[in-house]
Amino acid sequence: MIEFQLDRGSGVATYLQLVHQVKQALRLGTLRPGDQLPTAREVVESLAINPNTVLKAYRELEREGLVAGRPGLGTFVEQGIAGPTLADHHRLRRGLEEWVRQARAAGLDEEDLRALFGAVLAGSAREGVA
Amino acid sequence: MNALEVTGLAVRRRRSWVLRDCSLAVPAGRVAALVGPNGAGKTTLMHAAVGLLAPARGGVTVRGQAAFVAQDKPLYETFTVAETLRFGRRTNDRWDEEAARRRLDRLGIPLGGRVGRLSGGQRAQVALTLALARLPDLLVLDEPLANLDPVARHDVMRSIMAEVAERGLTVLLSSHVVSDLEDTCDWLIVLNGGRLQVSGDIEDLLGGHSVLTGPAGASAAGCDVVGESRTGRQVSLLVRGGPPPDPRWNARRPGLDELVMGYLRSPASAALPAPAEVAG
């Protein structure tokens, strides 16, 4: 089960934050096909947000084919995002952790790390490597 | 389908008008925020909505039953919570005792406790429980969060939202603090000096306005300006619709507080649906 968090100062629309968090959980494999999303009531009871916001987020996820509503039962995950690459996550994460260790040892702070990672990501997308 | 419709409402107190020519509609299942400065007529509009006063002109239609919680949350201090429930049961035809007890139990409010001994947050919850026990279709709350600490505000809002999710109830609530309304309300009503300035879906309103910032000389020609503020050489405008052709403007979507403040500072501006939409 996923537990939503809100970043009220982020400027990102609340329903999008919920959408992103579900996708993030699907990528990391913490949500898998068949898992149930919390009901609108459960979400609003923990976050104090309008129920229509939760329904909007779920509709968006449904539109993308990631979840499906089953009348009277709730909303369930239809398909993961990670798919076959999930098995590689562990290995890639270890590599990234090693890279972060080296960068820190070289004196880079967190902002430097983000900037560097973002630049490499953007560069590889341009070259079509990603 | 509208849960609340107000048409041409006017209310007079002694020799002055407290509300003038107010027409609005709140669709069913919405959480509507009623905002405006002190003396804008918010409480009067709420009283008219629940039939606590007779308007001089115009009318109010509520689909189903309305329940009202006043700002001072009037409860008998010497009653226990159980006695307060009993009083509610005797004075109301529609009454869900079971749900009220379950609700208080879930909130950890003891039935044997005296109302006068409860915390501000607990009193607010008891008042809310009494209103919900009457199984309203429209719940009208006058400043439900006033005088509550941040934790109690969050708790009260959470439980209002949960009722909306569970029962599809429509809520009209007033508040001074726009940040309390940001994620909870989806409909906005701005009242200023007894006149209605804004009534509409919050997403549509935010999407339909822009905040422009630019140098003092930039031209706002071709733009529907709600209000403006100047700091030194920079001008900031709230406009309806997109940015004007002058490329020196930097445009972005307003926050709810910016939209509300923009209108309140320019009482002559209004963003209201055409009369036909309200009537429909």
Side-chain angles (χ1 to χ4, degrees), chain B residues 74-212:
Chain B
L75 297 167
Y76 293 102
E77 302 272 317
T78 55
F79 277 24
T80 62
V81 174
E83 285 164 348
T84 306
L85 278 187
R86 197 172 312 139
F87 183 74
R89 191 167 64 228
R90 291 231 179 104
T91 47
N92 289 284
D93 295 334
R94 268 157 67 113
W95 186 262
D96 190 342
E97 177 83 9
E98 174 82 27
R101 285 175 181 263
R102 235 188 357 252
R103 190 164 192 282
L104 292 169
D105 183 53
R106 206 168 52 231
L107 293 162
I109 297 174
L111 289 176
R114 298 240 170 250
V115 168
R117 296 267 174 133
L118 299 177
S119 71
Q122 288 177 321
R123 288 174 62 100
Q125 292 286 15
V126 170
L128 195 57
T129 303
L130 293 179
L132 290 168
R134 293 163 58 192
L135 300 170
D137 302 287
L138 172 68
L139 180 63
V140 181
L141 307 168
D142 195 356
E143 295 278 349
L145 307 177
N147 306 318
L148 297 181
D149 65 56
V151 173
R153 296 167 94 82
H154 194 253
D155 288 348
V156 167
M157 244 346 170
R158 284 190 328 164
S159 50
I160 296 171
M161 291 303 115
E163 295 293 338
V164 174
E166 188 142 299
R167 305 208 4 231
L169 172 86
T170 307
V171 178
L172 173 65
L173 63 90
S174 64
S175 178
H176 271 93
V177 187
V178 177
S179 61
D180 281 338
L181 310 173
E182 193 99 53
D183 285 317
T184 51
C185 297
D186 53 18
W187 195 267
L188 176 70
I189 300 166
V190 178
L191 202 57
N192 201 0
R195 288 182 191 277
L196 196 64
Q197 271 191 286
V198 176
S199 176
D201 175 85
I202 291 182
E203 276 298 310
D204 290 348
L205 286 165
L206 295 178
H209 287 75
S210 312
V211 171
L212 307 179

